[in-house]
Amino acid sequence: MVGDLLPQPAAVQVERVEASGDLLRITARTRDDLSAACPLCGQSSDWVHSRYERHVADEAVGGRAVVIDLSVRRLYCETPACEKVTLAEQIDGLTRRYQRRTPALQKVVDAVAVALAGSAGARLLGVLHHVLTWASVLNCLMRISLPARVVPRVLGIDEFALRRGHRYATILIDAATGERIEVLPDRKMETVTAWLKAHPDIEAVCRDGAGGFAQATTDADPAITQVCDRWHLWHGLAEAAQKEIAAHSACWAKAGPPLREGARAATTLGRWQQVHQLLDAGVGLLECSRRLGRSSCSSGRPTAAPDTAFYASASCSADPEPRAITGYENLERAEDRTDPTDKCRASTAHISVRPVFNT
């Protein structure tokens, strides 16, 4: 019955089972009538050299940690030309070379390491009656082999900062699924070119507008189609529209926004008028703050009417005199507002925004 707890009861003989406190200790030995294969040449051998004892941890049973004290044989390799003189027999499903945990327990540890890693994984394994340090959990995590990833037809490529302004890396993803494919240690063209040459099945590359990735893709394979990703396309469109609107801000400022109403708006407008009356009379900002009982910052800020100040950041092609449109001028024109876009429609009719690839 106890032998049914072990993965390979036919290969071992259980001699004793001891339960003490939180530990269940099983003493067993391998059978003498079985042969083992040499891991180097594959030749089977039953020529016994000696025996030694291994202590293998297994999955917990009944809330107790399980330790198997297993006596295994060291055998001679019967192939004269084999470089491996002696070999230690391994029990499938029970022991592995240089391991102190059974494959079943190692599978549990690997699952916890992938999910939590480090200290959190060590704490959860303690609840499962397996005592490991956080360093041991991380070592198990680092030993797990990465699954093979299929190279996508459409590759997404972009850079990210490991330390902003100092170190950058490159991430490669499947543009169709968003799955991460690879992380390159830097953003150099040579590194990206070498990776693309090693994966010739890529048909298209989705990237930003930087010229480095464009040149790297061209150097790797000129036949690869290069497209701009959606975020950078919309970002470039927004920047182009913002620059065009800023270039004609003098025209837009003439219209101005609707004036606010209410007691607070009236108080703010009254203070603005007081400040500008003193400024027009030649009174300095410091003297204005003294007379009005306001701070110099509050007196110096409202140089234009509240909610009506629009400043031209660049000259409009329809306005030969670049100037700032102040709130006072807006108040004068409040009764006679016309559509300011009529003058600059002709000057902007030729402008179009399209993605540009530096290939």
Side-chain angles (χ1 to χ4, degrees), residues 2-341:
V2 178
D4 295 337
L5 299 176
L6 302 179
Q8 294 290 338
V12 297
Q13 294 176 343
V14 178
E15 298 178 346
R16 186 172 58 257
V17 178
E18 298 177 357
S20 59
D22 296 334
L23 180 64
L24 180 64
R25 185 177 296 275
I26 300 175
T27 305
R29 59 182 288 129
T30 59
R31 297 180 181 274
D32 295 327
D33 55 348
L34 298 179
S35 61
C38 176
L40 190 60
C41 66
Q43 175 68 35
S44 297
S45 174
D46 55 1
W47 185 5
V48 180
H49 174 276
S50 59
R51 276 187 174 270
Y52 71 100
E53 193 172 78
R54 296 182 62 175
H55 306 282
V56 184
D58 197 8
E59 295 179 284
V61 175
R64 290 187 174 126
V66 177
V67 176
I68 302 173
D69 297 332
L70 183 63
S71 175
V72 297
R73 297 173 297 169
R74 180 170 292 277
L75 307 173
Y76 287 106
C77 181
E78 298 183 8
T79 304
C82 183
E83 297 179 358
K84 199 167 189 64
V85 180
T86 62
L87 58 113
E89 62 177 342
Q90 305 295 333
I91 309 301
D92 293 338
L94 186 59
T95 61
R96 286 182 180 176
R97 297 183 65 190
Y98 309 114
Q99 290 294 322
R100 295 185 177 181
R101 289 181 286 271
T102 63
L105 177 57
Q106 188 62 47
K107 186 176 181 181
V108 174
V109 174
D110 291 345
V112 172
V114 171
L116 299 175
S119 300
R123 289 194 295 269
L124 178 58
L125 289 173
V127 176
L128 299 177
H129 307 283
H130 305 301
V131 179
L132 274 81
T133 65
W134 63 268
S136 298
V137 177
L138 288 181
N139 289 334
C140 294
L141 177 62
M142 299 302 294
R143 282 198 299 264
I144 299 176
S145 58
L146 296 178
R149 298 183 182 273
V150 179
V151 179
R153 294 175 54 253
V154 182
L155 181 70
I157 181 172
D158 202 356
E159 62 184 18
F160 67 96
L162 298 173
R163 183 184 178 190
R164 188 175 298 276
H166 295 81
R167 292 182 58 198
Y168 289 84
T170 302
I171 184 171
L172 307 176
I173 67 170
D174 187 342
T177 62
E179 182 183 4
R180 176 173 54 85
I181 302 299
E182 188 65 79
V183 176
L184 303 182
D186 52 52
R187 57 176 178 178
K188 298 179 180 179
M189 290 191 302
E190 295 79 5
T191 305
V192 178
T193 301
W195 192 92
L196 291 175
K197 287 182 178 180
H199 301 81
D201 296 333
I202 297 175
E203 300 178 4
V205 171
C206 182
R207 58 172 181 80
D208 57 11
F213 293 146
Q215 187 61 44
T217 306
T218 303
D219 294 342
D221 187 359
I224 296 178
T225 303
Q226 302 185 40
V227 296
C228 183
D229 64 82
R230 180 171 53 186
W231 187 91
H232 286 94
L233 184 62
W234 281 106
H235 184 68
L237 176 62
E239 284 188 341
Q242 182 180 8
K243 290 179 181 179
E244 186 60 30
I245 293 174
H248 296 273
S249 58
C251 296
W252 301 109
K254 295 177 183 178
L259 296 177
R260 295 183 181 179
E261 299 179 355
R264 183 174 181 180
T267 302
T268 304
L269 183 60
R271 291 175 180 173
W272 176 85
Q273 291 175 347
Q274 292 175 358
V275 171
H276 277 269
Q277 287 176 359
L278 294 176
L279 292 177
D280 294 341
V283 180
L285 290 177
L286 184 59
E287 184 62 25
C288 289
S289 64
R290 290 175 179 174
R291 293 186 184 184
L292 298 177
R294 310 290 298 178
S295 66
S296 58
C297 296
S298 301
S299 301
R301 269 201 305 266
T303 57
D307 298 332
T308 60
F310 285 81
Y311 293 93
S313 60
S315 61
C316 177
S317 58
D319 192 351
E321 297 182 1
R323 52 192 170 84
I325 305 300
T326 63
Y328 181 70
E329 294 172 348
N330 285 332
L331 291 176
E332 289 181 343
R333 299 190 182 101
E335 299 299 331
D336 186 20
R337 289 177 177 172
T338 59
D339 187 1
T341 62

